[in-house]
Amino acid sequence: MFKDLNPLLHSELRLAIMSLLLSAEEADFVYIKEQTKSTAGNLSVQLDKLSSAGYIKIAKGFIGKKPNTSCKITNAGRVAFAEYVDALKSYIIPHP
Amino acid sequence: MFKDLNPLLHSELRLAIMSLLLSAEEADFVYIKEQTKSTAGNLSVQLDKLSSAGYIKIAKGFIGKKPNTSCKITNAGRVAFAEYVDALKSYIIPHP
DNA sequence: TTATTTGGTTTATAAAATAAACTTGTTTAT
DNA sequence: ATAAACAAGTTTATTTTATAAACCAAATAA
């Protein structure tokens, strides 16, 4: 009746990050922080979790002299997101 | 860009309870427990939270000699659910 | 009559989310 | 040149949640 909701994606901030990366294909820390209106600490933690799960790939480098953290969604991330959305439907679509 | 997700509804079990009550209009503890595959303790706690928020109304009585806890969604609950679903769309619908 | 089951509630534990504090290095102003 | 402020994060601590384990009262079964 109700499909399990992947707990890694069932989090407001992580879901927003994934949603952003799905559309943007690539985004850096500062941009994600702005778009999601999150704090740096929270964002740092949640990006790590998504990265550890293999849902995103994080590349650290510099732009000029400033450190830059760039994120990309992986294929596994895309699949997990699609599955999550599918599972959500079992909750939000009326059961006749 | 991303709408806030009502934290009271952004919980797997509470969402399932609300989803059930939206379709069923009324359901008792045992039925909800079965359909959601939840434990009694967890269900008890989450029903209390939904009730405290005014999203459901709990009526305790007896059926024969057995205690019975019956739940109904309130209008506030219906509204909150609809808003939650609307907010969700800001995460799962692609942003062009 | 003493288990066992039913229908829960309460309390304790584990996990998560979030915020506050800190680090490292870079500008900017003095 | 030096100090103050800022940028980009990370780490640690705190609060909140979710979940499970333990418990309770009443009814039924053995």
Side-chain angles (χ1 to χ4, degrees):
Chain A
M1 174 140 214
F2 297 110
K3 295 183 185 171
D4 288 353
L5 296 175
N6 182 339
L8 239 135
L9 294 181
H10 194 62
S11 139
E12 185 158 8
L13 181 49
R14 288 195 300 271
L15 199 59
I17 294 166
M18 293 294 282
S19 176
L20 218 51
L21 292 180
L22 260 183
S23 308
E25 192 62 24
E26 165 148 37
D28 68 23
F29 192 97
V30 173
Y31 177 75
I32 298 174
K33 181 171 176 297
E34 285 166 359
Q35 295 296 314
T36 61
K37 293 175 174 58
S38 57
T39 61
N42 195 9
L43 182 56
S44 179
V45 169
Q46 308 310 330
L47 285 177
D48 272 359
K49 288 187 188 176
L50 291 172
S51 173
S52 299
Y55 293 172
I56 67 173
K57 178 88 198 332
I58 297 179
K60 284 168 192 305
F62 284 85
I63 289 184
K65 289 174 175 177
K66 291 184 180 173
N68 178 265
T69 299
S70 171
C71 307
K72 271 192 81 167
I73 195 165
T74 64
N75 202 57
R78 242 180 288 273
V79 169
F81 189 88
E83 285 172 352
Y84 174 77
V85 171
D86 181 65
L88 259 188
K89 289 180 183 162
S90 70
Y91 295 80
I92 69 181
I93 291 174
H95 296 89
Chain B
M1 175 145 215
F2 296 110
K3 296 184 186 170
D4 287 352
L5 295 176
N6 182 337
L8 239 134
L9 293 182
H10 194 63
S11 137
E12 185 159 8
L13 182 48
R14 290 195 297 273
L15 198 59
I17 294 166
M18 293 294 282
S19 176
L20 218 52
L21 292 179
L22 261 183
S23 308
E25 192 61 25
E26 165 149 35
D28 67 22
F29 191 96
V30 173
Y31 177 76
I32 299 173
K33 181 172 174 295
E34 286 167 358
Q35 295 296 315
T36 60
K37 293 176 175 57
S38 58
T39 61
N42 194 10
L43 181 56
S44 180
V45 169
Q46 308 309 331
L47 286 176
D48 272 359
K49 287 187 188 174
L50 291 171
S51 174
S52 299
Y55 292 172
I56 67 173
K57 178 88 197 330
I58 296 179
K60 283 169 191 306
F62 285 85
I63 289 184
K65 290 171 174 178
K66 292 183 179 174
N68 179 266
T69 299
S70 171
C71 308
K72 272 192 81 166
I73 195 164
T74 64
N75 202 57
R78 243 180 288 273
V79 169
F81 190 88
E83 285 171 353
Y84 173 78
V85 170
D86 181 64
L88 259 188
K89 290 180 182 161
S90 71
Y91 295 81
I92 69 181
I93 291 174
H95 296 88

